[in-house]
């Protein structure tokens, strides 16, 4: 991360595909005095999602990039990131896998949140798999993005107890609450190296 000069905040982009609940928590954190980032850009691969509506209400620059052709889409995104001098990328429910070339360009500056205690339960349908395997705990993880799915260095995790009454839906709700708290802490940790 580049050194912070005075009160300057680091320009950050948040990538989303849906309702944007983690985008909201990152934004709410970013407007606090203690925060060292500001959300300059929101990128979505879907139209009319909650996260884009939120970005518009907060007057955050936003772009919708449809991934019909992955190379073209990533090229477009890279140009937008460069134009906006983006120094940190937060993937927040972004349902596209970025190529190794893209990751190489922003190496060490892309973080992601995943709804499990990595390295367990990488990929999709996390909560269903956790419940099926009768795990006692699940949780969420913020990690650096590398070339392998959900395999980058872990920044921070939060454990959540699974009750006998829990199903995939109730567990997802509980974990999402923790995700929203965890993401700002992870950003802080990355920037302050604490």
């Amino acid at each position: 991360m580049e050194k912070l000069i005075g009160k300057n905040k680091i320009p950050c982009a948040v990538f989303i595909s849906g309702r944007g609940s983690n985008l909201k928590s990152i934004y709410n954190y970013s407007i606090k005095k203690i925060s060292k980032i500001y959300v300059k850009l929101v990128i979505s691969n879907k139209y009319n999602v909650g996260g884009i509506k939120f970005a518009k209400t907060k007057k955050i620059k936003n772009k919708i990039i449809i991934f019909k052709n992955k190379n073209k889409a990533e090229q477009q995104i890279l140009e937008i990131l460069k134009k906006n001098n983006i120094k940190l990328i937060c993937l927040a429910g972004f349902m596209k896998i970025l190529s190794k070339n893209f990751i190489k360009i922003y190496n060490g500056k892309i973080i992601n949140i995943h709804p499990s205690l990595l390295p367990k339960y990488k990929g999709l349908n996390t909560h269903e798999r956790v419940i099926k395997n009768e795990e006692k705990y699940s949780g969420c993880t913020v990690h650096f993005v590398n070339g392998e799915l959900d395999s980058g260095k872990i920044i921070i995790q939060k454990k959540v107890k699974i009750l006998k009454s829990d199903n995939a839906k109730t567990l997802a709700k509980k974990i999402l609450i923790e995700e929203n708290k965890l993401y700002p802490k992870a950003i802080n940790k990355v920037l302050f190296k604490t």
Side-chain angles (χ1 to χ4, degrees):
M1 286 305 139
E2 62 174 27
K3 286 270 180 271
L4 297 159
I5 307 154
K7 287 179 182 170
N8 290 353
K9 291 192 175 193
I10 286 174
C12 161
V14 183
F15 288 22
I16 60 158
S17 294
R19 67 197 153 192
S21 84
N22 277 310
L23 162 64
K24 287 171 195 167
S25 78
I26 294 166
Y27 173 80
N28 290 336
Y29 159 74
S30 77
I31 58 176
K32 290 179 181 174
K33 247 187 180 162
I34 57 147
S35 162
K36 295 296 179 195
I37 62 154
Y38 70 100
V39 180
K40 187 172 184 181
L41 182 65
V42 173
I43 286 179
S44 173
N45 65 309
K46 289 182 179 176
Y47 290 100
N48 301 322
V49 289
I52 287 293
K53 287 170 190 162
F54 175 79
K56 285 177 177 169
T57 64
K58 298 297 177 190
K59 296 183 171 53
I60 305 165
K61 201 181 285 186
N62 54 85
K63 294 276 181 193
I64 289 128
I65 309 284
I66 302 301
F67 274 64
K68 274 183 185 164
N69 176 317
K70 191 174 183 169
N71 285 344
K72 273 188 189 166
E74 288 192 346
Q75 213 40 56
Q76 264 181 290
I77 293 171
L78 285 168
E79 281 165 27
I80 296 163
L81 295 175
K82 200 175 176 185
K83 207 181 278 180
N84 288 282
N85 194 29
I86 297 299
K87 301 293 179 200
L88 178 69
I89 299 169
C90 298
L91 306 182
F94 185 62
M95 301 310 283
K96 291 285 173 191
I97 294 170
L98 297 167
S99 71
K100 288 185 181 180
N101 285 341
F102 186 102
I103 292 162
K104 210 179 274 177
I105 292 165
Y106 274 86
N107 188 30
K109 292 177 181 171
I110 310 175
I111 61 177
N112 180 45
I113 192 153
H114 182 75
S116 81
L117 293 172
L118 290 174
K120 280 182 157 188
Y121 301 103
K122 297 172 184 179
L124 299 173
N125 307 318
T126 315
H127 308 303
E128 288 83 352
R129 291 187 286 147
V130 164
I131 294 286
K132 193 181 169 196
N133 290 342
E134 298 178 356
E135 295 279 4
K136 288 185 168 50
Y137 292 95
S138 189
C140 45
T141 305
V142 182
H143 64 95
F144 285 104
V145 173
N146 64 10
E148 306 301 318
L149 181 68
D150 298 328
S151 299
K153 189 180 169 208
I154 291 168
I155 300 161
I156 193 169
Q157 291 184 311
K158 175 70 181 168
K159 212 181 211 183
V160 172
K161 193 170 174 39
I162 302 170
L163 305 175
K164 282 198 165 69
S165 58
D166 273 325
N167 57 37
K169 257 190 181 161
T170 59
L171 184 59
K173 260 186 190 168
K174 279 203 290 199
I175 289 176
L176 188 62
I177 291 164
E178 297 306 329
E179 283 183 36
N180 294 165
K181 294 181 206 163
L182 197 68
Y183 219 141
K185 285 181 186 171
I187 292 168
N188 229 11
K189 208 170 173 194
V190 167
L191 296 180
F192 289 104
K193 303 278 191 286
T194 53

